[in-house]
Amino acid sequence: MKNLKITVNGVVYDVQVEEADGSAPAAAPAAAPKAAPKAAAPKAAPAAASGEPVKSPMPGTILNILVKAGQSVKTGDVLVILEAMKMENEIKAAKDGTVTSVAVNKGESVDTGAVLVTIA
């Protein structure tokens, strides 16, 4: 038997793998894998984050975050690069203002409507 660590969607699992000799299927499998704690917790939006949220228009993966909290932005400035369907999509500011919070991390998967950034 071999002990392996496998990462699936950012969650690490400790698994045991048995090599089969090809003659007969192995006996019944063991218990479900146990999840190891994540290395870094994603940033959460502050509870009192004021302003207008910029939401993800589609599900995808955050490739890059181009702004930080406290940074001034103008209408049309690129805030986040979102990869969806093998395409890089620029998520832009809809208004002038100041970024009050960044609610995502680079590499994180997001769903449609997820808050990416808040602008006041």
Side-chain angles (χ1 to χ4, degrees), residues 58-61 82-89:
M58 64 194 86
T61 302
L82 176 73
E83 180 186 33
M85 298 182 291
K86 306 270 184 191
M87 294 182 63
E88 292 184 11
N89 301 280

Side-chain angles (χ1 to χ4, degrees), residues 5-40:
K5 285 190 178 188
I6 308 237
T7 304
V8 178
N9 293 331
V11 178
V12 179
Y13 295 92
D14 292 320
V15 295
Q16 290 184 340
V17 179
E18 182 175 330
E19 293 183 40
D21 61 6
S23 60
K34 112 181 122 167
K38 241 182 170 178

Side-chain angles (χ1 to χ4, degrees), residues 14-118:
D14 292 320
V15 295
Q16 290 184 340
V17 179
E18 182 175 330
E19 293 183 40
D21 61 6
S23 60
K34 112 181 122 167
K38 241 182 170 178
K43 293 180 192 174
S50 60
E52 181 179 323
V54 177
K55 297 181 179 181
S56 177
M58 64 194 86
T61 302
I62 304 299
L63 289 183
N64 203 358
I65 301 168
L66 304 172
V67 295
K68 294 179 182 170
Q71 181 176 337
S72 294
V73 294
K74 302 264 187 215
T75 303
D77 285 353
V78 178
L79 307 171
V80 175
I81 305 292
L82 176 73
E83 180 186 33
M85 298 182 291
K86 306 270 184 191
M87 294 182 63
E88 292 184 11
N89 301 280
E90 296 180 338
I91 309 303
K92 299 179 179 182
K95 67 174 193 169
D96 293 352
T98 302
V99 175
T100 57
S101 70
V102 177
V104 292
N105 291 313
K106 189 174 180 179
E108 183 177 341
S109 293
V110 295
D111 289 326
T112 302
V115 175
L116 305 174
V117 175
T118 304

